[in-house]
């Protein structure tokens, strides 16, 4: 079983940035849904955990949040710094490792957008999130929908393991796959309660720019979002 390599995006980070800037799954599906779930963030401190090239961090900064960010890919962190400038405190860090550079109860919101399915030490990551969250804080996750993984890759829906696929751009990516039951059990075991669960619909603009993808995502969810609070 090949575990996801934390820095697996390094070799094509710039190409991914270009793809994600306008790609339907990123720009017109996950980002609008996730930012809508985050809501008002002005005056709060947000950790962008797995920040990629900085699209979410830039939006959060524009909305008045203080943002600290990390990614296991040095190339991605460089892109995020370039996008956000000195306003962003970003560093190279794998979510499989303790977040030693953040103090206890120092963060209002932890965002993990399309990165949770790469984390192998998920129990450790969730424990660290609980540690750094302030009272009343939250964890917002967007990740692959288990049903979509099952439909696309077959096998048993209840399988827990990793899968490797080659994306249309030729990028080979390894991710974790698990049923919704396992996903939510891990949240509960770490002491989190699900406050909101969102199966997003595509942004209306996708109907014009990518009609086939819009039709598919209007009938079958590709991603799933959670807003979690410590219990």
């Amino acid at each position: 079983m090949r575990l996801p390599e934390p820095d697996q995006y390094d070799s094509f980070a710039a190409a991914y940035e270009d793809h994600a800037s306008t790609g339907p799954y990123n720009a017109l599906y996950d980002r609008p849904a996730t930012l809508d779930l985050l809501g008002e963030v002005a005056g709060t401190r947000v950790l962008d955990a797995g920040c990629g090239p900085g699209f979410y961090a830039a939006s959060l900064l524009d909305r008045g949040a203080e943002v600290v960010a990390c990614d296991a890919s040095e190339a991605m962190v460089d892109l995020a710094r370039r996008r956000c400038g000195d306003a962003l405190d970003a560093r190279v860090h794998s979510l499989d490792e303790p977040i030693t550079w953040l103090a206890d109860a120092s963060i209002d919101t932890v965002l993990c957008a399309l990165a949770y399915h790469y984390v192998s030490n998920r129990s450790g990551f969730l424990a660290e999130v609980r540690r750094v969250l302030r009272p009343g804080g939250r964890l917002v996750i967007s990740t692959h929908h288990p049903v979509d993984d099952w439909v696309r890759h077959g096998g048993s829906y209840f399988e827990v393991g990793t899968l490797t696929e080659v994306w249309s751009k030729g990028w080979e990516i390894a991710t974790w796959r698990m049923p919704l039951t396992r996903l939510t059990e891990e949240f509960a075991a770490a002491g989190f309660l699900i406050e909101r669960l969102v199966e997003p619909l595509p942004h209306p603009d996708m109907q014009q720019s990518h009609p086939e993808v819009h039709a598919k995502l209007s009938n079958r969810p590709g991603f799933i979002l959670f807003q979690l609070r410590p219990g």
Side-chain angles (χ1 to χ4, degrees):
M1 181 174 66
R2 173 188 166 188
L3 295 179
E5 299 166 8
D7 60 353
Q8 61 185 319
Y9 276 80
D10 260 348
S11 63
F12 54 88
Y16 176 81
E17 177 188 37
D18 182 63
H19 163 77
S21 65
T22 58
Y25 282 88
N26 298 93
L28 296 173
Y29 190 49
D30 188 73
R31 279 208 298 277
T34 299
L35 292 170
D36 181 65
L37 180 57
L38 286 166
E40 178 61 53
V41 295
T44 67
R45 192 170 190 231
V46 179
L47 168 63
D48 187 352
C51 65
F55 290 112
Y56 298 86
S59 293
L60 292 167
L61 288 167
D62 287 344
R63 294 180 177 202
E66 176 191 351
V67 183
V68 293
C70 65
D71 199 283
S73 165
E74 183 176 0
M76 286 293 194
V77 171
D78 287 344
L79 292 171
R81 288 172 176 157
R82 194 177 310 163
R83 170 163 280 101
C84 299
D86 294 338
L88 180 66
D89 175 6
R91 64 192 69 206
V92 179
H93 177 84
S94 168
L95 301 185
D96 287 318
E97 302 297 330
I99 313 173
T100 54
W101 41 276
L102 284 178
D104 295 359
S106 60
I107 297 292
D108 296 295
T109 296
V110 175
L111 168 64
C112 187
L114 298 183
Y116 193 73
H117 41 267
Y118 302 122
V119 181
S120 296
N121 182 18
R122 292 181 299 279
S123 62
F125 170 67
L126 292 171
E128 281 293 273
V129 170
R130 279 187 63 99
R131 180 184 67 79
V132 303
L133 281 178
R134 291 169 175 158
R138 59 179 173 162
L139 167 61
V140 171
I141 290 174
S142 66
T143 188
H144 292 173
H145 199 296
V147 167
D148 187 62
D149 278 345
W150 175 50
V151 170
R152 290 188 300 113
H153 298 287
S156 169
Y157 169 77
F158 296 101
E159 178 182 350
V160 176
T162 63
L163 56 87
T164 301
E165 58 185 319
V166 178
W167 291 1
S168 60
K169 303 286 186 179
W171 305 328
E172 187 174 281
I173 299 293
T175 63
W176 279 94
R177 165 187 179 175
M178 67 191 75
L180 186 59
T181 295
R182 173 63 177 266
L183 188 62
T184 57
E185 283 176 346
E186 291 184 357
F187 297 155
F192 283 95
L193 301 176
I194 299 173
E195 185 174 75
R196 289 193 60 192
L197 183 156
V198 178
E199 293 169 306
L201 290 169
H203 191 279
D205 289 352
M206 193 193 294
Q207 191 165 16
Q208 297 299 319
S209 61
H210 300 84
E212 292 183 4
V213 180
H214 182 275
K216 181 173 74 172
L217 292 174
S218 296
N219 288 279
R220 188 184 86 206
F223 300 151
I224 189 168
L225 283 61
F226 300 92
Q227 179 164 280
L228 309 174
R229 303 272 185 184

